[in-house]
Amino acid sequence: MSSCSTTGAARLQTEADPIEQADDLIAKGEAARAVSLLRTRLSEGRGGLLARLALVRALLASADADGAMEAAREAASLNPEIPDALLMLGEALMAAGHLPSAIGEFQRALRLDPQSEIARLALGRAWLEAGEPDKALEQLREAATAAALPLIARAEAMRGQKRSDAGYVRHLFDQFSADYDSRMRAQLSYRAPEILREMAAFVMPGAKDLTVLDLGCGTGLAAEAFGDIASSFDGIDLSPQMIEKARARGVYHHLAVADIETALSAGRAEYDLILAADTLVYLGDLTPTLEGAFRRLKPGGFFLFTVESNPDGCFTLGPKRRWRHAQDYLRERAVAAGFEISGLLACSPRSEAGTPVEGFAVALHKA
């Protein structure tokens, strides 16, 4: 790491033994003892920056992410111009699930020390966690160290995926969760749940008391639209912050932070209806999702979803990093998964910059 100045060097000389002792305890799996040792030393006024950073490491090793974040914030506030303090704060923020803030701290550390390979590696790794391979590669390719090579390989593999990376989706919606409903309704004229509810009235008239699975449930807008015909709702979303918003709505029986492809691949046929309102736009290849939905539906169940339309071909990634799907592709993949097509209608699930986005509403039936 970067030098902590002459003062930092002096601290290193006076605190080497207790810090080495703490690191040794961490290595032995006795992180709690290391935390106690370092807290005692700091409370006695005998610890400087290095002791505070060691305390953060010990707290992280003991799985106390909140305590580590608090200790790291204190260290950074006392040493705002020291890259090491900002790097440790970034690590604590990542461990606590605050990825955007962690990226900000890594960027601050790199601005203070543009030659720091550790800062570049940390920032590149954080961008990877956020599902941003291009931004990750920008940092990792400048880090002249072998430690960057496996991260570069991971970023290159991510660029070749036929879907949006889970980290990108989680990062995106965690940021939007605070004002998601108002942003979607007022700014983007979002109507995907209502469009699917209207389609349900045509393809499954008189349906009631349905067990429903909401894929990419977000804050629960689809559950609100289908509340009159459902007896129970389960929801899945990649964003923990969105799941908390959905939980506050009080309509879901069970909520899970999970990837929908993974979640659909496990479990039994237990749902009458599966919904995906404006969710499949983050998946290119829909085969795993369609096969998983067929597996989880009861006989006679329906899978209703919206997508954005692709003029021809199969699927492509649009300029807003949302996948678009062709009508022929949707029909082919649905039938291959075992579904009957009950409805496939042109619609506009949302607007972008005031212009309606062309899409499809699709109803698939497990006969």
Side-chain angles (χ1 to χ4, degrees):
M1 290 187 180
S2 307
S3 170
C4 294
S5 77
T6 305
T7 302
R11 286 173 177 162
L12 178 61
Q13 292 177 352
T14 59
E15 298 180 5
D17 289 344
I19 293 170
E20 288 179 1
Q21 183 181 356
D23 286 339
D24 185 55
L25 288 170
I26 294 171
K28 292 178 179 178
E30 300 178 42
R33 287 184 60 195
V35 169
S36 178
L37 169 71
L38 292 163
R39 285 200 188 281
T40 298
R41 186 170 182 82
L42 288 166
S43 68
E44 294 172 349
R46 296 188 298 125
L49 173 59
L50 295 181
R52 292 184 183 280
L53 300 185
L55 174 60
V56 178
R57 290 197 299 274
L59 288 164
L60 288 173
S62 61
D64 184 358
D66 290 339
M69 187 168 59
E70 181 181 352
R73 287 191 189 282
E74 184 175 1
S77 68
L78 293 170
N79 303 272
E81 301 301 316
I82 304 299
D84 292 2
L86 303 181
L87 286 170
M88 191 60 76
L89 176 55
E91 295 292 347
L93 287 165
M94 279 191 70
H98 301 292
L99 186 55
S101 298
I103 289 172
E105 296 303 326
F106 293 144
Q107 289 172 327
R108 286 177 60 198
L110 192 58
R111 284 195 294 270
L112 287 170
D113 185 1
Q115 305 307 314
S116 172
E117 291 182 356
I118 290 179
R120 288 200 183 279
L121 282 172
L123 182 55
R125 178 166 47 86
W127 279 128
L128 275 178
E129 290 301 313
E132 297 279 6
D134 292 335
K135 292 180 180 179
L137 287 169
E138 182 181 348
Q139 301 300 326
L140 296 170
R141 285 172 174 163
E142 290 192 36
T145 172
L149 296 179
L151 297 176
I152 290 173
R154 181 182 163 195
E156 294 286 6
M158 189 181 294
R159 294 174 78 182
Q161 293 180 146
K162 295 180 179 180
R163 54 164 289 173
S164 299
D165 186 78
Y168 166 73
V169 179
R170 180 174 60 249
H171 175 59
L172 177 69
F173 284 97
D174 274 349
Q175 293 182 89
F176 288 164
S177 62
D179 61 348
Y180 177 82
D181 288 6
S182 60
R183 180 194 295 256
M184 292 297 287
R185 296 299 201 187
Q187 298 181 22
L188 301 179
S189 303
Y190 177 62
R191 290 193 65 252
E194 289 72 27
I195 290 170
L196 293 182
R197 180 64 186 88
E198 292 167 8
M199 174 169 268
F202 283 103
V203 300
M204 42 196 311
K208 61 180 181 178
D209 298 326
L210 304 178
T211 54
V212 184
L213 176 61
D214 189 0
L215 302 178
C217 64
T219 63
L221 292 175
E224 188 175 75
F226 280 79
D228 62 321
I229 62 172
S231 62
S232 69
F233 276 100
D234 289 345
I236 297 170
D237 202 281
L238 274 167
S239 164
Q241 299 298 323
M242 297 292 266
I243 286 288
E244 287 308 307
K245 294 288 185 180
R247 182 170 287 114
R249 201 176 287 272
V251 297
Y252 289 94
H253 174 70
H254 181 262
L255 287 162
V257 177
D259 184 277
I260 65 172
E261 289 184 345
T262 304
L264 289 172
S265 68
R268 56 187 176 83
E270 57 185 312
Y271 297 105
D272 300 307
L273 174 62
I274 296 178
L275 302 172
D278 205 42
T279 297
L280 304 190
V281 294
Y282 296 103
L283 301 173
D285 182 3
L286 296 183
T287 300
T289 301
L290 291 169
E291 292 177 347
F294 188 87
R295 182 182 301 113
R296 299 302 298 277
L297 282 171
K298 298 175 185 177
F302 283 84
F303 182 24
L304 307 184
F305 60 88
T306 61
V307 294
E308 294 182 7
S309 61
N310 192 37
D312 48 40
C314 296
F315 53 85
T316 188
L317 188 61
K320 295 294 183 179
R321 296 187 64 177
R322 293 161 61 86
W323 294 87
R324 299 169 174 174
H325 297 86
Q327 181 175 169
D328 288 346
Y329 171 80
L330 295 170
R331 291 183 180 277
E332 174 195 341
R333 290 294 87 205
V335 171
F339 284 109
E340 293 180 351
I341 300 170
S342 296
L344 199 161
L345 305 174
C347 69
S348 177
R350 57 182 274 168
S351 297
E352 195 71 57
T355 302
V357 173
E358 295 182 1
F360 297 111
V362 184
L364 305 181
H365 182 220
K366 181 176 180 177

